Amino acid sequence: MNYILIPVLIVLCILVVVSLVRGIIAFLKTTKVDLETGEGETVTDMQLMQNKAMFARIKYQFAAIVVVAVLALLAN
């Protein structure tokens, strides 16, 4: 069972990092002027992308925690 769960955990960790990086990139694309004035057309698009990336990261982190909990239960 560990042979299945450990690769799943590794994949979930990679997905967490990818989601985090995508959210950071979306954040960096928004400029200070767009955020201050609110007139930029890309502000809402980038904010939506940030929210999607954050939600994906939270889902993957939760799944990784569940896999770790299952591994801990199986170890006992």
Side-chain angles (χ1 to χ4, degrees):
M1 187 69 163
N2 288 348
Y3 297 111
I4 296 171
L5 292 177
I6 291 175
V8 169
L9 182 61
I10 291 170
V11 169
L12 289 171
C13 290
I14 291 170
L15 289 172
V16 167
V17 172
V18 169
S19 298
L20 179 63
V21 170
R22 288 183 71 193
I24 290 172
I25 290 171
F27 178 74
L28 292 175
K29 284 184 180 179
T30 56
T31 62
K32 185 177 179 181
V33 175
D34 287 342
L35 291 174
E36 287 177 352
T37 62
E39 296 175 2
E41 295 176 6
T42 60
V43 174
T44 55
D45 294 337
M46 289 298 118
Q47 287 173 344
L48 289 174
M49 184 183 243
Q50 290 173 26
N51 287 342
K52 287 180 184 178
M54 182 180 65
F55 189 68
R57 181 180 54 86
I58 291 169
K59 288 189 299 188
Y60 297 138
Q61 283 177 331
F62 175 74
I65 290 169
V66 169
V67 170
V68 169
V70 170
L71 282 171
L73 289 174
L74 292 176
N76 289 333

